[in-house]
C-alpha cells in the first residue's frame, strides 16, 4: 500500500493518507466509492475532517489566448472527528454521487484525454493539507455511449476531447465548464463541415445533447458555426433507435437530406432568440447565441453497441486520439498527476 505523507502545514511525522477508488469506472450521476486509508504519525492526532474534491483540468479562452487550470467542481466530507493513534491504521469507506454533468474520460476502456482527479484533504489540529490525488475514470451513460457509437457508424472519427470553461446559453448547465468531444466528418458531410463538437449535459431528469458544426464557407459567404440541441429523459433512452435518430440530427443540423426530403422537426423547442429551424450561430464559451432542439420519441431497433466502434467514434479501438496514440494520452494524464504531487511536495512510502 502506498501512503502519501502529509508534509507542509502538518510537518514531518504527521499522518499519512492513501485514497483508493473502487476499480470500476463510475458514470455521470452514479456513485463513486472507495476508502481513505490513514496511518498515524509520530504522535496522536485528531482528524477534524476528511474531504474529497473532484478536480478537472480545464481550458479557458481570454483576450490573450488560451490557458489551462485546475477547477474544483465538487467537494464532500466523508469522515472526521476521531482520534488517530500514533502509528495506528484506520480505513474510512465512502460512497457519494458524482455530479450528473461529470465529464466522461473513456469510451470502451480507451482514454479520451480528459483529466479528472479525486484530491483528498485532511484536516488535522486546525490545519489542512491536500495530501493525495488519484485519477478518476468515468465511462459514459448507456445513451451517451450509443450516440457516440451511432456517430461512429455514420463515419465520424474522433479528433480530440477537452473541457472548456464557460456556459452554454439556453441549457440547464450547472458546472462552470462543459466537455467538447470533437469529431471529423465522413465523406458525405465533409463538403459541408470540417468538424463537429458534441457536448452532453446530464441531469437527474435526462440528458441534453448539444452539437456544434464548423461549417465551410461558400463563394459569397464565409464559414460559420451551426449549433443545435436535443434532449431526452432517462426513461426514454432504452427505447430509441439511436442510429436513425442521430442521422436525422445531423441532416437537420446541416440542412442535408440524402433522400431529397425536407426534414420534419417534431416538438421544436422554444428559442429565446426568436430563430426558427436549425443551424444558428452560437458562442458557447461566452454564453451567447441561439439554440434549438427537439424531443423525439422512437423505438430502438439498431444493432448492439460496439458493432461499429472500431471504425467510428474516434478510432478509439485502434488507439488513435487526436493524432496521438492512446499510450501518449496516458502519459499526458500521468504527467499531470505527477506534477500535482510535486507541487504538493509529497513523498511515497511503501
Amino acid at each position: 500500500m502506498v501512503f502519501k505523507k502529509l508534509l507542509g502545514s502538518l510537518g514531518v511525522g504527521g499522518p499519512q493518507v492513501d485514497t483508493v477508488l473502487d476499480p470500476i469506472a463510475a458514470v455521470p450521476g452514479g456513485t463513486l466509492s472507495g476508502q481513505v486509508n490513514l496511518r498515524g504519525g509520530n504522535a496522536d492526532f485528531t482528524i477534524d475532517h476528511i474531504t474529497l474534491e473532484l478536480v478537472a483540468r480545464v481550458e479557458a479562452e481570454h483576450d490573450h489566448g488560451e490557458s489551462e487550470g485546475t477547477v474544483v467542481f465538487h467537494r464532500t466530507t466523508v469522515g472526521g472527528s476521531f482520534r488517530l493513534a500514533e502509528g495506528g491504521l484506520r480505513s474510512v469507506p465512502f460512497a457519494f454521487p458524482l455530479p450528473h454533468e461529470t465529464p466522461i474520460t473513456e469510451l470502451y476502456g480507451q482514454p479520451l484525454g480528459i483529466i479528472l482527479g479525486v484530491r483528498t484533504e485532511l484536516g488535522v489540529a486546525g490545519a489542512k493539507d491536500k495530501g493525495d490525488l488519484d485519477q478518476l475514470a468515468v465511462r459514459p451513460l448507456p445513451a451517451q455511449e450509443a450516440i457516440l457509437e451511432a456517430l461512429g457508424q455514420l463515419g465520424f472519427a474522433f479528433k480530440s476531447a477537452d473541457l472548456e470553461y464557460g456556459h452554454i446559453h439556453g441549457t440547464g448547465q450547472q458546472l462552470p465548464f462543459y466537455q467538447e468531444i470533437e469529431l471529423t466528418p465522413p465523406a458525405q458531410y465533409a463538403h459541408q463541415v470540417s468538424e463537429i463538437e458534441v457536448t452532453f449535459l446530464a441531469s437527474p431528469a435526462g440528458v441534453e445533447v448539444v452539437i456544434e458544426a464548423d461549417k465551410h464557407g461558400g463563394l459569397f459567404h464565409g464559414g460559420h458555426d451551426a449549433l443545435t440541441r436535443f434532449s431526452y429523459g432517462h426513461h426514454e433512452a432504452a427505447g430509441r433507435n439511436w442510429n436513425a435518430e442521430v442521422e436525422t440530427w445531423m441532416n437537420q443540423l446541416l440542412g442535408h437530406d440524402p433522400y431529397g426530403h425536407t426534414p420534419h422537426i417534431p416538438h421544436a423547442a422554444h428559442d429565446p432568440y426568436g430563430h426558427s429551424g436549425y443551424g444558428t450561430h452560437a458562442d458557447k464559451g461566452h454564453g451567447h447565441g441561439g439554440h434549438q432542439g427537439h424531443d423525439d420519441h422512437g423505438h430502438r431497433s439498431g444493432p448492439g453497441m460496439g458493432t461499429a466502434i472500431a471504425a467510428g467514434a474516434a478510432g478509439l479501438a485502434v488507439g488513435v486520439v487526436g493524432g496521438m496514440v492512446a499510450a501518449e494520452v496516458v502519459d499526458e494524464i500521468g504527467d499531470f498527476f505527477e506534477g500535482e504531487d510535486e507541487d504538493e511536495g509529497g513523498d511515497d512510502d511503501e
Side-chain angles (χ1 to χ4, degrees):
M1 182 179 295
V2 177
F3 280 86
K4 176 63 64 66
K5 292 180 180 178
L6 292 183
L7 305 176
S9 59
L10 300 184
V12 178
Q16 301 174 48
V17 61
D18 178 35
T19 298
V20 179
L21 305 179
D22 287 347
I24 300 177
V27 297
T31 299
L32 179 66
S33 57
Q35 61 184 16
V36 179
N37 300 312
L38 298 172
R39 176 186 291 172
N42 294 342
D44 293 353
F45 284 90
T46 297
I47 307 300
D48 299 324
H49 67 87
I50 304 171
T51 299
L52 300 181
E53 295 180 337
L54 302 183
V55 301
R57 190 178 72 175
V58 176
E59 298 178 0
E61 296 182 2
H62 45 77
D63 293 341
H64 303 290
E66 293 186 355
S67 60
E68 291 186 343
T70 301
V71 173
V72 177
F73 64 96
H74 187 72
R75 282 175 57 92
T76 186
T77 298
V78 298
S81 300
F82 61 86
R83 194 76 172 166
L84 182 63
E86 177 182 356
L89 299 176
R90 182 157 180 169
S91 293
V92 179
F94 63 85
F96 63 91
L98 292 177
H100 288 272
E101 291 181 14
T102 300
I104 62 176
T105 66
E106 63 178 50
L107 183 62
Y108 294 105
Q110 296 291 332
L112 298 179
I114 297 297
I115 298 177
L116 300 182
V118 179
R119 189 159 56 194
T120 305
E121 177 184 284
L122 205 63
V124 180
K128 297 179 181 179
D129 201 308
K130 302 179 189 300
D132 196 26
L133 181 65
D134 298 274
Q135 183 179 343
L136 173 60
V138 181
R139 69 184 190 275
L141 294 166
Q144 294 173 332
E145 185 177 88
I147 289 169
L148 292 173
E149 181 176 328
L151 286 165
Q153 291 181 352
L154 283 176
F156 285 89
F158 183 89
K159 180 181 179 182
S160 64
D162 56 30
L163 303 180
E164 296 283 344
Y165 189 82
H167 190 274
I168 304 176
H169 183 86
T171 68
Q173 181 185 339
Q174 299 296 311
L175 294 184
F177 58 84
Y178 55 90
Q179 181 175 21
E180 288 184 336
I181 300 173
E182 299 179 6
L183 308 175
T184 56
Q188 66 264 36
Y189 298 113
H191 66 288
Q192 294 178 284
V193 62
S194 58
E195 69 177 28
I196 67 169
E197 298 170 347
V198 180
T199 296
F200 296 112
L201 298 174
S203 71
V207 178
E208 290 179 89
V209 185
V210 182
I211 304 178
E212 183 175 9
D214 184 5
K215 299 187 74 172
H216 296 307
L219 181 62
F220 301 106
H221 59 85
H224 65 280
D225 292 340
L227 186 146
T228 190
R229 185 182 77 235
F230 307 88
S231 62
Y232 58 88
H234 291 302
H235 65 285
E236 301 176 277
R240 294 196 175 205
N241 180 351
W242 289 112
N243 293 340
E245 185 155 351
V246 169
E247 184 174 14
T248 299
W249 291 356
M250 296 310 305
N251 291 334
Q252 290 170 343
L253 174 62
L254 301 177
H256 168 70
D257 181 1
Y259 302 104
H261 303 307
T262 300
H264 171 63
I265 304 174
H267 309 297
H270 172 66
D271 177 11
Y273 288 84
H275 302 300
S276 61
Y278 284 68
T280 59
H281 174 74
D283 181 349
K284 291 193 292 186
H286 295 84
H288 302 294
H291 295 69
Q292 292 77 37
H294 69 262
D295 294 316
D296 284 346
H297 303 274
H299 302 282
R300 183 172 180 82
S301 59
M305 288 184 238
T307 56
I309 194 64
L316 287 177
V318 295
V320 178
V321 182
M324 301 184 293
V325 297
E328 290 174 330
V329 174
V330 173
D331 288 343
E332 179 184 356
I333 294 172
D335 291 344
F336 172 79
F337 287 100
E338 290 173 5
E340 286 282 317
D341 291 346
E342 292 170 0
D343 292 343
E344 292 162 7
D347 298 324
D348 290 339
D349 284 349
E350 294 292 343

